[in-house]
Amino acid sequence: MAGIGFELKKILKKESLTSLFIAYSYATILSAGGWVASILSILTVGFINILLYDNSSDIIRFQVSVTHLIALSLIVSGIHQLVFTRFIADKIYIKEEKAIIPNLIGITILNTAISFAFIIIYSLFALKGIDSFYFNIFFIMTFLLLSNIWILNIIAVSIKKYKHTIVAYFISYLLVLIFASVFGKYGLDYLIGSFFVSNIFLFLTLLFLVIKSYFFSKFISFEFTKYYKKYFSLVLAGFFFNLGIWSDEFMFWYSSTGNGIIGKINASIVYDLPLFLAYLTIIPGLAIFFIRLEADFAELYDKYFKGVVNGATLYKLLNYKNNMIDLIRIATKEAIIIQGIFNIIFYLTAPKIINFLNLPLLIVPLFYIDMVAIQLQLIVMINLAFLFYLNKRREAAIVTFIMATLNIILPFISINLGPYFYGYGSAVAMLIASIAGLLFLNKSMMRLEYETFMLQ
């Protein structure tokens, strides 16, 4: 996200309500990423189609299929995301931008090959019994497309054309709504086809923006593959982070609480709806933290880094370090307090919101505990962001491993304990992961100047 901090600060300097709105809109979209937009669009497609065509059966199958596609594509492409981010950052730092496009082509080929192998094996199990040729094709092709969009998004942000990237996402998910609303009456094949076509637009638009921005002298390169061995901890962190986000849902989908929706693709009606709604509540805290991280912490870290390179005095370096510690405290505190305020508002209004959405009020208690779990997940994400900034890759990998492992084991236990314990497994998993992250972060900051000079 190099450069977004300067852009955000420039916007905030105008000191108007409009500039504040624009800055937080940027922060929201760039930090929440495609997954929030995806959740919103598929939920909205559902409401519109049921209202227009009363095709609730097709809509449920469409929403569940897309949810599985998003989850699996994030997990599978997660092994590349952080490693390739590091590769791109290094190339930009040493001013070898001409290597970006050839390696983008290279990773697209590699990621497509791995994703294709995975989705074919997965489809043999999950799509068994589904006769529709078009659904099978769209399901596989959409998975491949999403897997590459998550990676392309990394480079799209690096070109600093944030407005174009945001507009591309907006138009793409607007197309999902329009196409699905127009063609939804023709059935499931058209619904998932609409999602596929809209994402083609997003992929091609992002690809065009990136190719237009970087000069390149050769077509393809696999230079980035050297980073997998050198930065293996980033491979693990990227994989376990995405697995940790989705693992509790897979546990509910394929347990006694799951229901077969289409083929072997399951959903848990009891668990999914409150969790997806709870995810939307994380947006304010995430946006506020993003601004603190990219607009403030990045500047302080840059001062510390330049101070080390340029031979600043120990007094100055300690001063920079203390400023970073203060900012970590402030950012974490702000995210907890402001997100907490929004959680209280959601807590008080949840029955009315759920009633307005025509959903059963039985999900309200689970929505409450899911909100707590998601807020704790926000703390984990904050810790990870700081650890990555400090280049604490091993520690970040350990935190994501704890997060993923516990978010499998504890939801399994909570499912077996019964409905009153649903959601608590994930909340406890995130609590333990956030504590581990805070301990690693505290240790890293305390030893910062020692490790800077003594371990080089």
Side-chain angles (χ1 to χ4, degrees):
M1 293 278 176
I4 184 61
F6 300 109
E7 185 77 17
L8 292 171
K9 279 202 163 186
K10 195 167 72 177
I11 296 170
L12 289 170
K13 273 182 183 174
K14 295 177 184 174
E15 295 183 348
S16 67
L17 282 175
T18 307
S19 63
L20 198 66
F21 175 77
I22 292 171
Y24 278 96
S25 297
Y26 269 153
T28 300
I29 295 171
L30 291 171
S31 61
W35 57 270
V36 169
S38 304
I39 290 172
L40 281 174
S41 67
I42 60 175
L43 284 176
T44 309
V45 164
F47 286 121
I48 292 175
N49 268 267
I50 290 172
L51 192 66
L52 291 177
Y53 310 123
D54 194 24
N55 54 349
S56 57
S57 175
D58 281 339
I59 284 300
I60 290 172
R61 289 190 289 170
F62 165 71
Q63 290 175 329
V64 171
S65 300
V66 170
T67 303
H68 277 250
L69 285 169
I70 292 172
L72 292 169
S73 61
L74 281 167
I75 293 169
V76 173
S77 65
I79 59 176
H80 308 295
Q81 291 172 15
L82 294 176
V83 178
F84 199 63
T85 302
R86 178 60 189 250
F87 175 81
I88 295 296
D90 285 353
K91 289 300 174 188
I92 292 174
Y93 181 73
I94 60 176
K95 301 190 184 307
E96 286 187 5
E97 286 97 338
K98 65 180 181 181
I100 290 176
I101 300 299
N103 281 281
L104 170 63
I105 304 297
I107 197 168
T108 302
I109 293 171
L110 178 64
N111 184 45
T112 302
I114 294 174
S115 299
F116 183 74
F118 171 83
I119 196 63
I120 291 299
I121 295 170
Y122 177 81
S123 297
L124 291 174
F125 159 75
L127 304 185
K128 196 174 181 181
I130 301 175
D131 296 329
S132 171
F133 170 79
Y134 293 108
F135 178 86
N136 284 282
I137 290 297
F138 281 135
F139 189 89
I140 291 171
M141 296 299 289
T142 304
F143 176 81
L144 298 178
L145 196 58
L146 287 173
S147 293
N148 284 303
I149 284 176
W150 306 135
I151 293 175
L152 187 57
N153 189 56
I154 294 166
I155 311 176
V157 172
S158 75
I159 62 179
K160 302 178 185 177
K161 291 186 177 177
Y162 309 109
K163 289 178 186 173
H164 295 82
T165 305
I166 290 169
V167 170
Y169 268 95
F170 176 78
I171 294 176
S172 172
Y173 285 104
L174 184 62
L175 288 176
V176 174
L177 293 179
I178 293 172
F179 289 156
S181 300
V182 173
F183 300 110
K185 59 185 174 185
Y186 298 113
L188 179 62
D189 294 351
Y190 284 83
L191 283 168
I192 197 160
S194 300
F195 188 77
F196 172 69
V197 171
S198 304
N199 277 284
I200 283 182
F201 169 82
L202 177 61
F203 178 80
L204 292 177
T205 305
L206 294 179
L207 188 62
F208 172 75
L209 287 173
V210 172
I211 289 178
K212 191 182 170 188
S213 302
Y214 290 115
F215 169 79
F216 57 102
S217 56
K218 61 178 180 179
F219 180 68
I220 185 169
S221 172
F222 290 93
E223 184 188 351
F224 66 94
T225 53
K226 297 174 185 172
Y227 275 54
Y228 287 87
K229 184 178 180 183
K230 188 176 179 182
Y231 298 105
F232 187 65
S233 54
L234 290 181
V235 176
L236 297 177
F239 173 74
F240 284 125
F241 174 75
N242 286 294
L243 182 65
I245 295 280
W246 289 96
S247 51
D248 59 318
E249 287 163 80
F250 278 99
M251 294 305 295
F252 274 86
W253 291 340
Y254 291 99
S255 70
S256 57
T257 68
N259 308 96
I261 302 299
I262 176 169
K264 299 293 182 185
I265 300 174
N266 281 14
S268 174
I269 296 169
V270 175
Y271 192 71
D272 290 350
L273 280 174
L275 184 64
F276 287 160
L277 290 175
Y279 261 113
L280 299 180
T281 66
I282 200 177
I283 295 173
L286 204 54
I288 289 163
F289 168 70
F290 184 83
I291 287 183
R292 278 292 184 194
L293 179 72
E294 298 297 340
D296 296 329
F297 186 80
E299 184 181 0
L300 292 174
Y301 182 77
D302 189 55
K303 281 183 180 176
Y304 179 85
F305 182 75
K306 285 180 178 173
V308 172
V309 172
N310 297 326
T313 62
L314 181 61
Y315 175 79
K316 271 193 176 180
L317 292 177
L318 289 175
N319 195 33
Y320 293 147
K321 171 188 152 180
N322 290 331
N323 287 338
M324 283 194 287
I325 292 173
D326 287 342
L327 196 114
I328 290 172
R329 286 178 181 149
I330 291 169
T332 308
K333 191 175 163 185
E334 280 182 352
I336 292 172
I337 292 175
I338 295 175
Q339 186 63 45
I341 291 170
F342 275 95
N343 281 0
I344 291 171
I345 294 171
F346 287 124
Y347 181 87
L348 295 173
T349 57
K352 289 183 179 176
I353 293 172
I354 289 170
N355 191 43
F356 173 77
L357 296 174
N358 202 24
L359 299 173
L361 290 174
L362 287 171
I363 69 172
V364 173
L366 184 51
F367 173 71
Y368 290 152
I369 187 64
D370 281 341
M371 271 200 311
V372 175
I374 298 302
Q375 182 162 5
L376 290 166
Q377 185 179 307
L378 175 63
I379 305 300
V380 178
M381 292 162 73
I382 289 172
N383 295 334
L384 288 173
F386 285 127
L387 287 172
F388 284 130
Y389 248 106
L390 298 170
N391 203 26
K392 294 296 176 184
R393 303 186 301 272
R394 187 180 66 88
E395 289 80 357
I398 293 172
V399 172
T400 56
F401 176 76
I402 292 171
M403 174 184 169
T405 306
L406 293 182
N407 210 22
I408 292 172
I409 296 171
L410 297 180
F412 174 77
I413 294 172
S414 74
I415 290 168
N416 284 286
L417 288 174
Y420 288 110
F421 294 90
Y422 291 173
Y424 285 95
S426 184
V428 175
M430 295 302 164
L431 175 65
I432 295 172
S434 63
I435 291 172
L438 284 170
L439 292 174
F440 279 130
L441 187 57
N442 181 60
K443 184 181 176 184
S444 300
M445 291 308 298
M446 291 301 104
R447 291 166 53 90
L448 185 62
E449 69 278 9
Y450 169 77
E451 293 187 1
T452 300
F453 293 104
M454 302 304 291
L455 301 183
Q456 301 301 317

